[in-house]
Amino acid sequence: MKILLLGSGGREHALALKLKAPAVDLVSAPGSDALAELGTCVPLNLEDPAAVAAWCARNRPDLVVAGPEVPLVAGVADAVRALGIPVFGHDAATARLEGSKSFAKAFMMRHAIPCAAGHTVTDLAAGEALIRSWSHGFPIVLKADGLAAGKGVVLATTEAEALATFRAFMAGQFGDASRTVVFEAPLVGMELSLHVLVDVDGEHASYALLPACQDHKRIFEGDQGPNTGGMGAFGPLPFLRPQDIECMRTVLVEPTVKGLRSDGLVGRGVLFLGVMWTARGPELLEYNVRFGDPETQVLMQLLDEDLAALLLEVAQGRLVSRELKLKPHTAIAVVLAAEDYPEGARKGVPITLGSPAVTVIHAGTRKENGQWLTNGGRVLNLATSAPDLAAARAAIEAALPQVTWPGRQVRRDIGLKALGHALAGRTVQDPW
Ligand code: AMP
Ligand code: GLY
């Protein structure tokens, strides 16, 4: 089976490691030096649907798997599917759930999916007036409507900060993506990532839940410092009970699947729901139309299925709603980041890569004369699974000295707060 995998980061390397099998011919675009060790790489521009489709027309892959959201929002899946080639990845119309915060908010409201109260603003004076009369409490959450490389959400703790952020957005801080702004009431609680494979088309509507994970977005331990793309994740959450999963299925997942159907949207991939478990129960922060990074690195440790076959089922509209086969383990992925991340990233630093007893996933590396070098903010992930979270954390601790370089940044507390919560006998209803 020839598979074209779109992307180049840690998420894609984790997918590639799972897809790789003797019968799989893996091509990554644009790929990376690490992905090149699992197959071949082609330098395609993922923002150009015609270019990706032209390559597919010539090379006829059996399956295209989209990693990031940008190609989906740009319409790559539409263009490739039009050739009759199965794509794991949503149409541009469905990708608006991630590509436009106002579209997503309207979808949530229309389908009675619990979420923060929100207002969409396209006018400077109207937004300033909204901030001055804000009645939902602080922080005021401001979201650039369009894709802003993960930097388009600001939690403003004062009126002055909200005004300054809003004016910068409207002045085009993220181009047209920030000239429409969604204001939201703050949600307080515990954040988690829920991934759902969705295969929805007309009368056919199937889905399969993946285990709930938790990401750690701040750069420093104890959730301090600036936001990053994610410094580590683990899953499943040890204190989430079966009834909690059922609750999310009932109030978030099923209305989403029904909503896609009733809006005439096609689902052919994964939806990653950003969830805040509040005192009122689970509420939806956002939709992503792709796998999370580093959540994917966790999920691939747990999934006990043939990934290529599973993604092809979704891509061909043959998914049967079911419980996925999973290892009865807890998995963890810890990010090793470059010096200066997230403000910048010191590149070209030689990496010492011993032989750790965990999975090494490449996110931002390149290879020169046989030596791996740092080449991005998030450089490597160490991932593993074990019978419980404490054992999984210990396995990563044991591996950390083996994989290092000057300036390496790593959070040693991935999963620690959740472990404490579980050991204290608390549930998701208790304060986080
Ligand atoms: P989003 O891209 O919408 O998920 O926002 C990025 C991050 O901002 C989320 O992962 C949350 O940590 C935070 N966030 C977004 N919306 C809210 C909200 N309404 N209340 C509190 N935090 C939020
Ligand atoms: N880990 C968060 C994300 O992928 O958006």
Side-chain angles (χ1 to χ4, degrees):
M1 172 153 69
K2 183 189 281 189
I3 301 178
L4 175 66
L5 174 63
L6 306 180
S8 59
R11 165 184 46 212
E12 289 75 24
H13 195 226
L15 291 170
L17 288 169
K18 191 87 178 171
L19 288 169
K20 194 62 198 154
V24 169
D25 170 13
L26 186 69
V27 183
S28 303
S32 64
D33 289 345
L35 284 161
E37 301 203 333
L38 299 172
T40 52
C41 295
V42 286
L44 295 176
N45 174 4
L46 302 189
E47 293 181 45
D48 183 350
V52 179
W55 187 92
C56 289
R58 283 195 307 277
N59 295 279
R60 302 305 299 187
D62 302 293
L63 172 66
V64 177
V65 177
E69 66 282 5
V70 168
L72 299 175
V73 172
V76 165
D78 309 57
V80 177
R81 247 192 301 275
L83 301 169
I85 294 171
V87 182
F88 180 87
H90 303 286
D91 291 350
T94 304
R96 289 187 77 201
L97 287 172
E98 179 166 359
S100 165
K101 302 273 189 199
S102 58
F103 178 82
K105 195 74 181 176
F107 180 94
M108 294 175 208
M109 301 301 288
R110 189 161 59 245
H111 301 297
I113 296 167
C115 61
H119 304 264
T120 297
V121 174
T122 53
D123 174 78
L124 190 63
E128 291 178 350
L130 178 64
I131 293 169
R132 294 210 171 88
S133 63
W134 187 254
S135 60
H136 299 289
F138 285 85
I140 305 180
V141 183
L142 292 95
K143 301 186 175 185
D145 187 56
L147 296 181
K151 299 196 164 70
V153 176
V154 174
L155 277 64
T157 48
T158 63
E159 187 180 302
E161 188 187 352
L163 284 168
T165 301
F166 176 62
R167 287 173 185 146
F169 276 10
M170 293 302 279
Q173 184 180 356
F174 299 106
D176 284 342
S178 66
R179 289 199 179 92
T180 296
V181 180
V182 176
F183 285 80
E184 276 186 21
L187 295 181
V188 177
M190 184 202 60
E191 207 171 327
L192 62 88
S193 305
L194 185 65
H195 288 71
V196 193
L197 300 179
V198 293
D199 171 6
V200 177
D201 191 0
E203 285 311 295
H204 176 76
S206 310
Y207 73 89
L209 287 182
L210 284 153
C213 304
Q214 188 164 57
D215 191 9
H216 296 62
K217 292 198 171 150
R218 306 296 194 96
I219 183 79
F220 299 130
E221 289 172 10
D223 296 327
Q224 303 296 310
N227 259 318
T228 70
M231 290 297 291
F234 72 94
L237 281 74
F239 52 85
L240 270 191
R241 303 158 300 185
Q243 66 260 40
D244 301 325
I245 303 293
E246 283 315 299
C247 175
M248 289 194 284
R249 182 197 293 277
T250 308
V251 307
L252 303 178
V253 176
E254 288 187 342
T256 297
V257 171
K258 285 200 188 109
L260 290 175
R261 262 181 77 176
S262 62
D263 289 358
L265 294 170
V266 175
R268 279 273 182 277
V270 64
L271 288 178
F272 152 16
L273 281 60
V275 177
M276 186 76 90
W277 202 297
T278 73
R280 296 176 297 273
E283 301 197 14
L284 193 57
L285 287 169
E286 61 163 355
Y287 289 110
N288 300 286
V289 295
R290 50 165 177 91
F291 282 113
D293 186 346
E295 286 90 338
T296 306
Q297 291 82 314
V298 170
L299 295 172
M300 292 305 114
Q301 293 284 325
L302 296 172
L303 190 66
D304 197 11
E305 302 224 358
D306 176 338
L307 182 65
L310 179 62
L311 300 186
L312 189 62
E313 263 180 59
V314 175
Q316 293 181 325
R318 295 186 287 108
L319 181 73
V320 178
S321 290
R322 65 173 184 272
E323 300 290 324
L324 296 173
K325 265 192 255 153
L326 300 166
K327 254 201 244 172
H329 270 192
T330 300
I332 182 167
V334 172
V335 171
L336 310 184
E339 188 173 351
D340 293 339
Y341 182 70
E343 283 77 23
R346 183 140 176 245
K347 296 186 182 173
V349 181
I351 299 167
T352 303
L353 202 53
S355 13
V358 299
T359 308
V360 178
I361 296 161
H362 288 247
T365 62
R366 74 189 167 84
K367 202 175 196 179
E368 204 174 275
N369 302 325
Q371 169 68 52
W372 288 104
L373 305 172
T374 64
N375 196 40
R378 294 189 290 178
V379 177
L380 291 170
N381 308 156
L382 300 183
T384 195
S385 82
D388 62 37
L389 179 54
R393 280 177 39 75
I396 297 294
E397 273 299 308
L400 277 175
Q402 302 240 12
V403 186
T404 192
W405 63 88
R408 181 195 77 169
Q409 300 191 75
V410 58
R411 277 185 64 167
R412 315 276 292 269
D413 66 343
I414 304 305
L416 191 59
K417 188 171 174 183
L419 191 58
H421 202 80
L423 289 175
R426 297 197 199 106
T427 73
V428 72
Q429 265 96 29
D430 292 306
W432 174 240

